Amino acid sequence: MSGRLRRLGFLLPPAAQALVVLVSLPVMLGALGPAGWSSVAVAQTVGGLCGTVIALGWGVSGPARVGRAVAPATVLSEASWSKALVAGPVVLVGVGVALLLHPGGPGGPVALGVTSTAVLGLAQTWYFVAADDVRRLLLLDTLPRLVLGLAGWAAVAGGADVRVGLATQTAAALVGFALCWARITRPARRTTSLRACAAVVLGQRFALATQVLGSAFLFGPLLVLAPVHPAALAVFGLVDRVQRQLVTASIPLGNVVLARRMAHERRTAGPPQVRVRRRLLDVALVAAGCGLAAGALAVPLLAYLGAGAVRVPVPVALLMGVVVAGAVATLLMPTMVHAPLGRERRAVLAAATGVLVGMPAVALLGAELGALGAQVGIVAGQAAALVAYLAGLRGRPETTVAAR
């Protein structure tokens, strides 16, 4: 398979996940109604935060480690064991939090809403991109998710309970993780003791903190908006779910660009400052392209997904392009620029700056303007984070890009 076809192949997993979401949203809205959808939207947001914790920051630190490793499969083995260690407890806590936030919501769909989103943190897409292994990514991960996910929501559309769709989505993620474990992790035979797994988890603390704080813009606003403007939950829940999915679908594109940039840098020499500028340009181009695409699709896409039950105002829909561009940029900066320079701590501080600005802005503006205020608050936080990320690059690099 040619290099260009491989890079296109890496875009199929997010496209498959987006297809499952596009099918599931109108089906869920039709089955649950606006009130039931609000409960599940909150649950899936909590589940998204849980999934970020389960991912343990491997999407940030993993690609650079794979690039340096003599046996890349050992890196995946460490990631798999460490994720397996934390997944169960994190999901249980998430279900409890979601039920507390919406005590009157439907218990089964709420619990499954958390679980079906949290298990997405088990995905190992970052490894396959870094290892340039598109064939096994599609066979072991993407195909099970697509087939099982679509089958489950087709059953719900045919009259089955909405819990069937959420349960099959959960099963799809677990099957993908199990196949990767059986074909790659287990043969590598690395990190099997509890103490060794705990050490790996501890070693991921900076990458995890960066990813959790960076993901606050994806998952935090809905939870912040819920107590200050509950009437806006149905509208913002739909917008939030769609823009989160668009961001999730865009990150692998950044990973593909990163893999191409790393391959180019291995072939050519150059000052670290030049390489950093090129990577910043890569981030800017990917973020701008994704934002423009999201803005162009926002109004018709949200009208279709709302299925007549939820109507999204045009200004809220159009801001989705800005939010997607900002989220893609803030999530790619640590992976593509800071981690290769060994500046994970500065990335954590930058992400924290964005959260400290963005979440209060969402609360204050959301209380007055509902979904529109929440969108503006997100953009304010993203702008603060990007300024802090750029400031964190000032000074002498701790290591060169080539070394990492």
Side-chain angles (χ1 to χ4, degrees):
M1 184 183 295
S2 69
R4 181 171 297 179
L5 285 177
R6 282 201 304 274
R7 287 192 292 271
L8 290 175
F10 286 124
L11 301 181
L12 290 177
Q17 180 64 24
L19 177 60
V20 173
V21 171
L22 289 175
V23 170
S24 70
L25 283 177
V27 173
M28 271 196 289
L29 276 166
L32 296 171
W37 158 245
S38 297
S39 298
V40 173
V42 170
Q44 290 186 323
T45 300
V46 174
L49 283 170
C50 293
T52 303
V53 175
I54 292 170
L56 286 174
W58 283 103
V60 174
S61 62
R65 289 189 58 184
V66 169
R68 299 193 305 268
V70 176
T74 60
V75 179
L76 181 65
S77 180
E78 290 185 357
S80 300
W81 282 104
S82 59
K83 289 182 179 186
L85 177 67
V86 303
V90 169
V91 169
L92 289 176
V93 171
V95 171
V97 170
L99 291 174
L100 286 174
L101 289 173
H102 254 265
V110 167
L112 283 170
V114 173
T115 306
S116 64
T117 314
V119 293
L120 296 178
L122 295 172
Q124 310 283 29
T125 307
W126 59 269
Y127 167 79
F128 293 105
V129 173
D132 199 22
D133 191 352
V134 67
R135 183 181 62 85
R136 286 202 287 188
L137 170 62
L138 297 178
L139 291 177
L140 302 180
D141 184 83
T142 305
L143 189 60
R145 289 174 187 269
L146 180 63
V147 173
L148 287 174
L150 290 179
W153 291 113
V156 177
D161 191 273
V162 72
R163 287 172 290 190
V164 172
L166 294 169
T168 52
Q169 231 177 291
T170 303
L174 293 175
V175 167
F177 182 72
L179 289 173
C180 291
W181 187 295
R183 301 294 299 176
I184 303 173
T185 301
R186 190 173 61 179
R189 297 192 177 280
R190 179 79 177 270
T191 312
T192 55
S193 71
L194 183 60
R195 179 176 295 181
C197 286
V200 171
V201 172
L202 183 62
Q204 288 294 112
R205 61 191 182 280
F206 291 119
L208 173 60
T210 301
Q211 199 164 40
V212 168
L213 290 169
S215 296
F217 296 118
L218 294 180
F219 305 112
L222 184 66
L223 302 180
V224 172
L225 187 64
V228 300
H229 203 313
L233 280 182
V235 170
F236 187 68
L238 177 61
V239 174
D240 182 63
R241 184 71 177 93
V242 173
Q243 63 194 19
R244 274 193 281 125
Q245 183 55 50
L246 291 175
V247 171
T248 302
S250 301
I251 296 303
L253 175 60
N255 290 336
V256 171
V257 173
L258 174 60
R260 186 177 181 181
R261 176 63 63 194
M262 290 172 65
H264 175 75
E265 290 171 353
R266 283 193 291 266
R267 295 192 304 267
T268 61
Q273 295 86 348
V274 173
R275 297 187 178 197
V276 169
R277 283 197 294 269
R278 288 172 178 169
R279 288 189 178 214
L280 287 174
L281 180 60
D282 288 341
V283 171
L285 290 175
V286 172
C290 294
L292 288 172
L297 292 172
V299 173
L301 181 61
L302 290 170
Y304 162 73
L305 295 175
V310 175
R311 301 183 187 279
V312 179
V314 172
V316 177
L318 292 178
L319 272 173
M320 191 167 76
V322 183
V323 171
V324 168
V328 170
T330 54
L331 289 172
L332 288 180
M333 283 286 285
T335 305
M336 296 185 68
V337 184
H338 289 71
L341 290 174
R343 296 192 176 186
E344 290 91 344
R345 295 183 184 183
R346 296 189 188 186
V348 172
L349 291 175
T353 300
V355 172
L356 291 174
V357 173
M359 292 304 102
V362 169
L364 292 173
L365 296 174
E368 295 295 326
L369 302 174
L372 178 61
Q375 291 285 77
V376 175
I378 294 171
V379 173
Q382 290 171 338
L386 286 172
V387 170
Y389 275 123
L390 292 173
L393 295 175
R394 296 180 63 183
R396 192 171 183 176
E398 297 169 20
T399 60
T400 65
V401 174
R404 298 288 296 237

